[in-house]
Structure formats: structure tokens, C-alpha cells
Amino acid sequence: MNAPTKFQIQPRLGEMLIAEQLASEQDIQRALDFQQRFGGRLGAVLIRMGAISEDSLLQILSKQLDLPIIHSNSIPFDASHLLQQIENTGIEKDWWLDQEVIVWANEDESLYCIARNPLDETLHEVFEHIYAGQEINWYLVRNQDLDRILDVLAKAQGDGEFDNADDINVLRELAEGAPVVEFVNNMFSQAIDRRASDVHVEPEEHTFFVRYRVDGVLHEHINLPKERFNPIASRIKLISGLDIAERRLPQDGRLNIRVSGQELDIRVSCLPGVHGESIVMRLLPKERETSRLQQLGFASDHLQMFDNWINEPHGIILVTGPTGSGKSTTLYAALDAVNNRSQKIITVEDPVEYQLKGITQVQAHSDIGFTFASALRSILRQDPDIVMIGEIRDVETAEIAIQASLTGHLVLSTLHTNDSVSAFTRLVDMGVEPFLVATSVKSVQAQRLVRCLCPHCAIPDEPLADIQARTQQLLPEPLKAQAANWKKPVGCHECQGSGYRGRVGIYELVEVSSELQSLVLQHAPAPELRKIANAQGYRTLREDGWIKAYQGITSVDEVLRITSEH
């Protein structure tokens, strides 16, 4: 089809994408081959293949067609206004829905138009007739925004596309349809573009929401009519290997997908709710490099302590914190630091999040009886020097880990506790004998992740005097010569208005001394253990956070949000 003369297309789309390094020549050729066999627009094919994201495509199309991109906050999602515009043309509403085109008048009476295919000659011929002499401003738009306004229009006249989408065969057919496939692919690609770690799809009574967790905080991405939920949920379940007919029981699945040119391993969890299944997806990029210990935000004294711990010949090192606090990342960085090919390193994980070269990684499968404990028994027959256990969840796993440490192995593992000293009482409460805990655990680290200030918009801050004074006392020696650099967030385009971009760890390190061992043997409560740790000079999570704020890495408010007083 020849493009309308209104849009002067210069270079070809594929050439522009290659020039901007948004797609490879191989991706373009594969898409062209697919297009030749099955048809479709090149951009849509590339998105469906996972080669590029829709946002990247729109940026290139905007340059190619010399058309601006319109965002959702500039689109009038008002059914009465849209219907009035349609009635003024004298053309049936069904035609607008079939052609997937919307026109509205702005405050200055100028006409705005968005369409699935703004190059469609038929549209331009019709518009030249019904809008003779009027100038129409054409815009490019995200598919999800166009779908949303078309849904508003369809619902206003009672033509909801998915009204009967409860039948399993209908659901399967809709889930394989191009609109639903493109929506799900775009949802993942936009999540990657926004650096999201999780995607939440949450139904309510009349709508459903898609939210992204970025830097540990959930942000609403889009909300759509409830009629579209079942096909989209079915698409996610279908590609995750889940049963689309089962909506009463929780289900867990996995999928490997390519979006925005990246290979992703996605863990999917479906939980039945009152208004439908809540679906949460954890995004794990396959090509992510293991972080170095130096990149995790350790202060110089903490880094030296932790490095000494992981080079010990035996004992247990515990990393504690809630889900999503970066424990696995720390352990992977520790293994990478000691992996000099002179030692046998084996891990048992559920799941294996990232693959490490030169290390034997074992995937636990509790559903078939291959638990952490049973895996550990086999691992110890493999002559390991260092063992990493994904998590100590029960007394059996804890006791085998302790026996491994007492027989000359270095054991790294995680534990869910609020602070470092609570790890000892947690193990004892789990059923481990206090003398075993006291003799095997050599050190404990607690950690959290705080958001880093956006370097483009953060401005100077002046926190309370007692915070400044306390921080000055806590500073490690190398930082005492540096001037304070307190800052606070503002928000800009670079950080999507949040004021933060990226995260860094704050840490609490406790080394097991003879005094701590004695208290653990006596089954002492956590407050008593904390007193001894304080006497040894340990910093709490909040105090380590003050140091990060002093350096201008994060803000005082962010430290207060993440940490408690003790």
C-alpha cells in the first residue's frame, strides 16, 4: 500500500531501527520473512517477536512519519464527547469501531485523530469527504491507549467484545488473538523499559489494574474495563503452562520470553480472589551480570568484614531480611568473589534465579520430595568446599547445614528475620539446639534496599540536627574527611517523577564473638544479644542508611521509610 502524501516516509522502518541499534539485522530479516508469509505490519511483527518494545517503535515511527506521539493524559476518555463527534459525521458507530479510529475536537475546535493504522488510505479518503476543508492533526498512540478508548466507545453502545468471554474455547481463541498477544507483549516490554522487577495484574469489580514494581515501590501503569481481563489472564496462563480452566485454586508457572530484545525468565503466580485471579509475575533477565560486592553499597569497613567472612574455611554465614531485600544478589556476589576455580562450590536453590559459571547449581523440587534437606544430603557427598543454601526454612535443613559447617564446609544461606541478631533466636525457635547455633554460626548480616536519589533532580537538604550529629559519630574513617552531601528528591522525566532511580543496599553486620556465643547458649532474647553487638560497634540498618544519606546516595525520608528504630 502506498502511503498517503500527507506522510512523507523517508528511510525504511527496518533500516532506521538498525541505525538506532534498537533491533538487529537478523531480527529485521526474520520479521520480514514472517511478514511475507503471513502478512501484518512490520512493527507489530517485531513487537510480537519480542525484538523491540512498542515505545521504541513509536519513537522511530514518529521520526519516520513526522507524527507526534499522544499520551493517555491527552486523550478524552469521555464516551458522550466521542459519541457526539461520531454522530456529527453521520457515519455509523460500528464503522469507527471496525476501522479502529477515533476523532475528537480539542478546546480550540481543532480535530485530533488516532488510529490503529494512520496510513490507511481508506480512512483518509473518508475524512477528506466528511471533514472537507478542516485540518486533522494525526497522532501516533500506544495500542493499549487506543484499545482503552475503543473499549469506552464499545461499552457506551453495549458492544463489549469480551462479554461472552467465559467459555473456555472462546477464552483460548481470544488469548491467541493479535490484540491480546500484543497487549501482553507490550505489558512486558514496558515493564522492562521502566526497570520493573514485578508485574501485578489485579482485577476489581468493574476494572482491572496493571501495576509495576519499580525500585521496590508499586506504580499503577494502566486500568482497563473488566471485560478485557479474562482474555489477558488466559493469555498469561496459557504461555506459562497453566490451566486456563482452573480459577479456584492457586497456580504457579514459568515462561521464557523475549521482549525488547532481552531474554526473560518469568515466574508467574495466580491467586484466586473475590473478583478474579490476582496474577503476579517476577521478571528475571537471563543476561543479567552478577554484581560485584563492591557494587552493592557496602561501606568500606563492612566490605572488609564481609570479605573476611567469606574467606573463612568453615562455618555458617547468614544473610537475613524480608523477601525482595537483595539477599540472593548478595550471596551470588559472594560466590563470585570466592570462585577462583580452586574450590568446589555447590548451591541448592528454589528457584535458580541466575546461572553462575564454574559453580554447580541444583534446583530443588519440593513437589516431588527433592527438598533443600534431601538435596543437601546428596550435595555433601560431592566433596564441596562451599555450599550455598537458598533459604533455611525448617529445622531439618538447619541441622544439616550446621553439620556441614562443623565438618569443614563454608555454608552460606538466607533466613527471614527483621534484623541480624534475631537470626540466633529464630534458629533456636525453629528447634535447633542453642549449642549447635552458637558453635556453627560465625556471622550474620541483615540488609534492606533503599532507593537511590535521581542524579538529575535531587536538591540539597538539611536534616534534623540530631541525625547529623549521630551520623558524624558513625562515619567510617575514610568518610570523615568528606563533606556532608545531604539531598532530597524532587522528581523529573528521567526518574518518572519519583525522585529516585535504582536501589542500593544498607547493611547490619554482626560477628559472633565469645560473649555472643555465651548468650546464645543461654537462649538469651534478642535485646540482650543486641546490647553485646552494640558494644562491639555494630551499626543498625537505620544508622547505615544515615551514612548513605550523608553521602547523597539516598534521602533521610527513604531511610525512615525502609527501616525501624531497632
Side-chain angles (χ1 to χ4, degrees):
M1 179 191 297
N2 294 323
T5 55
K6 176 179 177 65
F7 305 117
Q8 299 300 320
I9 301 178
Q10 301 299 334
R12 294 184 176 183
L13 177 63
E15 294 171 352
M16 295 182 72
L17 289 168
I18 293 170
E20 295 285 340
Q21 297 184 335
L22 293 172
S24 66
E25 292 184 25
Q26 293 85 350
D27 286 333
I28 299 298
Q29 189 56 54
R30 285 173 56 212
L32 289 171
D33 292 343
F34 182 94
Q35 185 185 43
Q36 188 173 9
R37 293 176 59 194
F38 303 105
R41 290 171 292 155
L42 180 63
V45 173
L46 285 165
I47 290 174
R48 185 161 185 169
M49 286 170 45
I52 60 172
S53 67
E54 186 183 25
D55 286 348
S56 299
L57 175 65
L58 287 178
Q59 294 295 335
I60 296 300
L61 287 175
S62 180
K63 293 179 183 178
Q64 185 192 38
L65 304 176
D66 194 25
L67 286 180
I69 301 168
I70 194 167
H71 298 286
S72 59
N73 54 7
S74 301
I75 300 174
F77 294 96
D78 180 358
S80 59
H81 179 74
L82 297 174
L83 289 170
Q84 184 62 51
Q85 290 293 324
I86 289 173
E87 288 177 9
N88 292 341
T89 67
I91 300 177
E92 291 293 326
K93 303 180 191 73
D94 287 343
W95 180 86
W96 297 86
L97 292 172
D98 290 342
Q99 298 297 318
E100 298 184 305
V101 60
I102 297 291
V103 175
W104 70 91
N106 207 1
E107 294 175 354
D108 59 2
E109 298 303 317
S110 58
L111 292 174
Y112 286 61
C113 184
I114 55 177
R116 188 77 68 191
N117 182 9
L119 304 183
D120 190 331
E121 286 183 342
T122 302
L123 291 181
H124 289 271
E125 289 172 4
V126 172
F127 286 1
E128 284 174 9
H129 174 69
I130 61 177
Y131 295 116
Q134 290 183 270
E135 182 180 354
I136 299 177
N137 300 296
W138 287 82
Y139 288 87
L140 297 174
V141 64
R142 288 194 185 108
N143 280 327
Q144 64 190 30
D145 293 330
L146 180 60
D147 288 339
R148 185 178 168 198
I149 196 169
L150 289 171
D151 280 339
V152 168
L153 194 59
K155 199 169 184 180
Q157 66 174 50
D159 290 342
E161 179 186 356
F162 303 121
D163 286 345
N164 298 317
D166 282 331
D167 181 82
I168 298 304
N169 293 327
V170 174
L171 274 177
R172 191 178 297 275
E173 184 179 338
L174 289 171
E176 294 287 2
V180 174
V181 171
E182 283 192 21
F183 178 90
V184 172
N185 284 359
N186 287 335
M187 179 179 69
F188 287 135
S189 64
Q190 288 166 14
I192 289 297
D193 290 347
R194 286 162 174 73
R195 302 176 298 105
S197 60
D198 302 84
V199 178
H200 292 238
V201 183
E202 303 165 325
E204 295 191 349
E205 187 174 1
H206 302 296
T207 62
F208 77 94
F209 294 85
V210 176
R211 297 198 291 172
Y212 294 153
R213 188 177 293 281
V214 181
D215 295 333
V217 178
L218 279 170
H219 300 271
E220 185 177 319
H221 173 58
I222 191 172
N223 69 81
L224 292 170
K226 183 68 173 292
E227 292 80 8
R228 296 182 62 82
F229 173 75
N230 281 342
I232 289 167
S234 296
R235 175 65 187 172
I236 294 169
K237 292 168 74 173
L238 202 62
I239 60 179
S240 307
L242 302 180
D243 183 359
I244 64 173
E246 180 56 74
R247 302 181 194 172
R248 300 165 301 170
L249 296 173
Q251 295 188 76
D252 294 312
R254 291 184 85 138
L255 70 136
N256 295 307
I257 193 171
R258 187 166 181 257
V259 292
S260 297
Q262 284 193 54
E263 295 288 338
L264 283 183
D265 185 13
I266 301 177
R267 301 207 312 259
V268 181
S269 171
C270 298
L271 182 68
V274 174
H275 300 298
E277 292 173 290
S278 170
I279 302 175
V280 178
M281 291 156 281
R282 169 64 57 89
L283 310 182
L284 301 169
K286 283 190 172 181
E287 298 175 6
R288 174 175 166 177
E289 293 183 1
T290 304
S291 299
R292 304 282 181 180
L293 285 174
Q294 294 82 355
Q295 299 170 324
L296 301 183
F298 284 103
S300 56
D301 56 340
H302 279 176
L303 180 61
Q304 185 60 56
M305 283 179 67
F306 193 78
D307 188 61
N308 291 340
W309 292 355
I310 61 177
N311 282 287
E312 289 287 331
H314 56 82
I316 295 179
I317 300 171
L318 294 175
V319 177
T320 73
T323 301
S325 59
K327 301 186 298 295
S328 295
T329 300
T330 299
L331 289 182
Y332 283 135
L335 293 179
D336 186 65
V338 297
N339 184 20
N340 56 13
R341 306 293 290 179
S342 66
Q343 300 182 96
K344 176 75 170 181
I345 304 175
I346 305 181
T347 75
V348 53
E349 307 167 63
D350 185 18
V352 175
E353 293 188 6
Y354 303 109
Q355 296 182 11
L356 304 173
K357 293 181 180 178
I359 292 175
T360 302
Q361 294 176 268
V362 178
Q363 168 75 57
H365 293 283
S366 55
D367 52 338
I368 59 172
F370 189 51
T371 62
F372 280 128
S374 58
L376 269 175
R377 292 191 187 94
S378 300
I379 284 172
L380 295 178
R381 292 193 288 270
Q382 288 275 310
D383 187 32
D385 297 290
I386 300 174
V387 176
M388 192 269 271
I389 307 168
E391 182 187 343
I392 293 178
R393 300 175 178 174
D394 51 56
V395 64
E396 188 179 10
T397 304
E399 287 177 345
I400 298 171
I402 287 169
Q403 293 304 323
S405 71
L406 295 176
T407 53
H409 303 87
L410 180 65
V411 178
L412 309 178
S413 189
T414 69
L415 198 63
H416 285 287
T417 63
N418 289 326
D419 58 15
S420 52
V421 296
S422 297
F424 304 105
T425 53
R426 173 83 177 94
L427 289 171
V428 172
D429 291 342
M430 200 181 280
V432 181
E433 291 293 338
F435 76 91
L436 289 175
V437 176
T439 53
S440 61
V441 178
K442 299 299 182 184
S443 49
V444 184
Q445 170 184 293
Q447 66 179 70
R448 298 289 188 279
L449 294 175
V450 293
R451 292 178 294 172
C452 298
L453 286 163
C454 174
H456 301 279
C457 63
I459 59 175
D461 189 22
E462 189 72 22
L464 294 174
D466 59 340
I467 292 178
Q468 295 190 52
R470 176 62 180 149
T471 305
Q472 199 67 45
Q473 297 172 354
L474 296 166
L475 290 175
E477 202 60 43
L479 292 179
K480 289 183 177 177
Q482 294 183 15
N485 189 28
W486 304 97
K487 289 185 177 181
K488 62 182 178 181
V490 176
C492 66
H493 174 73
E494 293 290 332
C495 59
Q496 300 173 35
S498 68
Y500 298 93
R501 187 174 178 85
R503 288 191 291 176
V504 70
I506 55 174
Y507 303 96
E508 179 180 288
L509 278 68
V510 172
E511 193 160 346
V512 179
S513 62
S514 55
E515 293 88 349
L516 271 176
Q517 277 186 333
S518 298
L519 286 178
V520 172
L521 285 169
Q522 298 167 30
H523 202 167
E528 291 187 34
L529 298 173
R530 194 174 292 113
K531 287 180 184 178
I532 296 296
N534 281 328
Q536 295 175 186
Y538 101 125
R539 291 194 299 272
T540 65
L541 289 165
R542 177 168 288 186
E543 290 169 344
D544 198 49
W546 293 151
I547 293 174
K548 301 291 193 300
Y550 176 92
Q551 296 174 274
I553 296 171
T554 189
S555 68
V556 169
D557 286 345
E558 176 67 2
V559 174
L560 290 170
R561 183 182 75 87
I562 291 295
T563 63
S564 59
E565 186 64 36
H566 297 294

